[in-house]
Amino acid sequence: MSVKIQVQNVTKIFGPSARHVLEELEKEFDKKEVLSRTEHTVGVYDASFEVEEGETFVIIGLSGSGKSTLIRCLNLLNRPTAGHIVVDGEDIVRYDRKQLREFRRNKIAMVFQNFALLSHKNVLDNVAFGLTVRGVPRAEARERAAEVIGMVGLEGYEQSQVSALSGGMKQRVGLARALACDPEILLMDEAFSALDPIVRRDMQFELIRLQKRLQKTIVFITHDIYEAFKLGDRVAIMKDARIVQVGTPEEILSNPCDEYVERFITDVDKTRVLPVKSVMQVPSCLIRSSAGPRAAINEMRANGVSSAYVVDRDLKMLGLVTLSDTLEAIEQKRTIPEIMRTDVASVDEDTILSDLVPMAAQSSYPIAVTDAEGHLTGIVTRVAILSNL
Ligand SMILES: Nc1ncnc2c1ncn2[C@@H]1O[C@H](COP(=O)(O)OP(=O)(O)O)[C@@H](O)[C@H]1O
Ligand SMILES: [Mg+2]
């Protein structure tokens, strides 16, 4: 993993004498007091974090905490009062106009909460617009636009008037427009916050699906903790212009750094945010499909279990055998592949715990956890799931 964006001690103060105000600022300043004394607003104070290439980094905080101010520093829509923003090793704060134009043209794109579309134009033209203003020839722009329109699930809507679309569809257009120039970095400022809950869930799913394929570096802003934990590889929590904690959802849930974060997450239903991989365990007993029933019995006995998963040489999950079936197999001279049950429950390691509860209630055995290629990476017991409820 390489670092894509380094935000180093970034401060943004709004007002004509921002630098001067910053110099006079006490470390433990009070935003309201600073405003009434100096008529300057501290938007972001001393923010530092890194975003890895291909990571979805979420910034969450209450309204007014400085999220938009911070994300707008990343493409210099806001010029920081102090600090550095290093992208691919270059400090973009030092860029001249030409370098900045290139940076915005090729490397970074933004999706806005209010869609910011041209409502009198159709979907195709809206998506192509971002390219034509960048100097891409019209025919080529339309071809590329058609491609990304398919990517975000808008196929067939190319000629639709944007003003006639629902909110969710509009934001798909916004996303397509941002993706059209194939940016390496995608900035999304409350991009889903205006959508109603069901549409919003669809869009979150869509983004996860797209991200699996495109592997962009995404900085995503939200004020919804569930959205943050669902989308974020890591999450930064902001309060009063400062970043108070950065971590994975698991780290933040299990180790809130202060009372504020604790209160922030206190009502979070962990099963709705924690993935299976955070509670799964290494299976203590695995049976190779080539093993004989007697060896399998010995394995199970040695590990004190009455059922075990069967895997091939590459640890691909094939099925499950029980102790009693295996004992019978010895008498009947049958092999492990002949007696194993293949109708067993298995889940992807990124499955959210709450989605597993119905399965856990039905299954008499631990549930197998597999990666995208079907390799067994762990098992999760009913007690691990139900005790997290
Ligand atoms: N252009 C601006 N001029 C003056 N103050 C601003 C400006 N933009 C934002 N602010 C102030 O900066 C603070 C952070 O705002 P913002 O970044 O929009 O918060 P959030 O996106 O978390 O709701 C707020 O106090 C806001 O009033
Ligand atoms: Mg905002």
Side-chain angles (χ1 to χ4, degrees):
M1 276 277 199
S2 61
V3 176
K4 189 75 177 172
I5 309 169
Q6 290 166 281
V7 174
Q8 301 171 341
N9 310 102
V10 165
T11 292
K12 175 65 185 178
I13 295 175
F14 294 103
S17 313
R19 270 173 197 269
H20 179 72
V21 170
L22 175 57
E23 274 164 30
E24 308 279 292
L25 213 54
E26 303 273 336
K27 216 165 169 36
E28 295 302 319
F29 65 89
D30 177 78
K31 259 179 75 166
K32 278 203 203 89
E33 187 273 325
V34 174
L35 180 62
S36 63
R37 183 165 51 84
T38 67
E39 296 184 357
H40 282 60
T41 300
V42 185
V44 171
Y45 184 75
D46 199 26
S48 295
F49 59 89
E50 290 183 346
V51 183
E52 305 268 352
E53 192 169 346
E55 181 175 35
T56 303
F57 188 89
V58 175
I59 302 171
I60 182 165
L62 301 178
S63 174
S65 57
K67 306 180 295 295
S68 293
T69 304
L70 180 55
I71 202 170
R72 290 164 68 89
C73 285
L74 301 182
N75 57 2
L76 294 191
L77 283 178
N78 279 335
R79 191 159 276 280
T81 308
H84 303 282
I85 293 157
V86 180
V87 177
D88 287 334
E90 290 183 19
D91 186 357
I92 64 166
V93 176
R94 301 212 174 128
Y95 276 176
D96 61 25
R97 281 175 71 170
K98 183 162 170 280
Q99 287 173 305
L100 185 56
R101 190 157 14 118
E102 283 298 300
F103 174 72
R104 288 191 183 143
R105 177 173 290 182
N106 299 321
K107 221 166 226 182
I108 200 158
M110 195 156 180
V111 183
F112 300 89
Q113 175 174 2
N114 58 4
F115 322 129
L117 301 172
L118 306 163
S119 54
H120 57 285
K121 287 194 186 269
N122 67 25
V123 170
L124 188 70
D125 287 337
N126 261 279
V127 178
F129 179 72
L131 292 165
T132 47
V133 295
R134 286 173 163 83
V136 177
R138 206 175 142 77
E140 191 186 327
R142 290 172 74 99
E143 196 174 309
R144 170 72 186 151
E147 200 177 303
V148 285
I149 284 169
M151 233 185 242
V152 301
L154 279 178
E155 228 153 12
Y157 288 90
E158 289 82 353
Q159 306 304 327
S160 301
Q161 212 56 21
V162 156
S163 52
L165 299 179
S166 67
M169 302 289 261
K170 279 186 183 142
Q171 198 52 297
R172 282 173 197 261
V173 180
L175 190 55
R177 187 184 48 191
L179 291 173
C181 40
D182 199 21
E184 295 166 26
I185 302 167
L186 204 54
L187 306 179
M188 303 181 71
D189 188 354
E190 305 236 14
F192 302 157
S193 298
L195 308 176
D196 68 53
I198 293 172
V199 177
R200 191 166 175 174
R201 223 175 304 146
D202 282 350
M203 289 304 286
Q204 292 164 351
F205 177 75
E206 195 72 35
L207 186 67
I208 291 170
R209 189 184 64 81
L210 272 171
Q211 175 63 350
K212 277 214 157 106
R213 185 165 141 212
L214 301 176
Q215 298 282 298
K216 302 282 180 195
T217 303
I218 301 179
V219 180
F220 188 103
I221 286 184
T222 179
H223 59 251
D224 176 348
I225 191 94
Y226 286 109
E227 187 164 79
F229 285 168
K230 191 164 170 185
L231 297 178
D233 294 312
R234 284 184 308 144
V235 176
I237 300 179
M238 282 192 86
K239 179 195 177 217
D240 294 341
R242 294 176 205 254
I243 289 182
V244 290
Q245 185 166 8
V246 179
T248 63
E250 289 95 320
E251 281 165 1
I252 292 175
L253 280 171
S254 57
N255 224 340
C257 72
D258 63 12
E259 258 177 51
Y260 180 78
V261 177
E262 215 162 273
R263 255 184 294 133
F264 212 82
I265 61 172
T266 182
D267 293 328
V268 172
D269 172 359
K270 289 187 182 172
T271 62
R272 278 183 56 195
V273 295
L274 285 179
V276 166
K277 62 184 171 203
S278 67
V279 301
M280 73 182 185
Q281 56 194 71
V282 177
S284 56
C285 178
L286 284 181
I287 308 292
R288 292 292 163 97
S289 53
S290 56
R294 273 177 211 284
I297 297 276
N298 285 340
E299 268 299 304
M300 285 191 256
R301 194 179 286 144
N303 288 290
V305 294
S306 57
S307 67
Y309 279 98
V310 181
V311 291
D312 71 5
R313 289 220 321 262
D314 302 323
L315 283 185
K316 267 221 171 88
M317 211 272 289
L318 302 174
L320 176 129
V321 288
T322 64
L323 187 64
S324 54
D325 285 352
T326 313
L327 284 169
E328 270 179 38
I330 295 177
E331 283 169 23
Q332 301 167 354
K333 301 198 184 340
R334 297 173 72 198
T335 65
I336 293 290
E338 282 170 341
I339 61 153
M340 75 184 174
R341 306 169 182 211
T342 52
D343 59 338
V344 288
S346 78
V347 295
D348 183 271
E349 53 191 5
D350 288 322
T351 309
I352 299 299
L353 275 182
S354 60
D355 293 341
L356 217 67
V357 172
M359 200 189 265
Q362 275 186 11
S363 171
S364 340
Y365 310 106
I367 293 171
V369 184
T370 54
D371 65 14
E373 281 82 47
H375 300 116
L376 189 72
T377 55
I379 57 169
V380 52
T381 57
R382 276 159 53 113
V383 63
I385 299 165
L386 301 174
S387 67
N388 267 292
L389 287 182

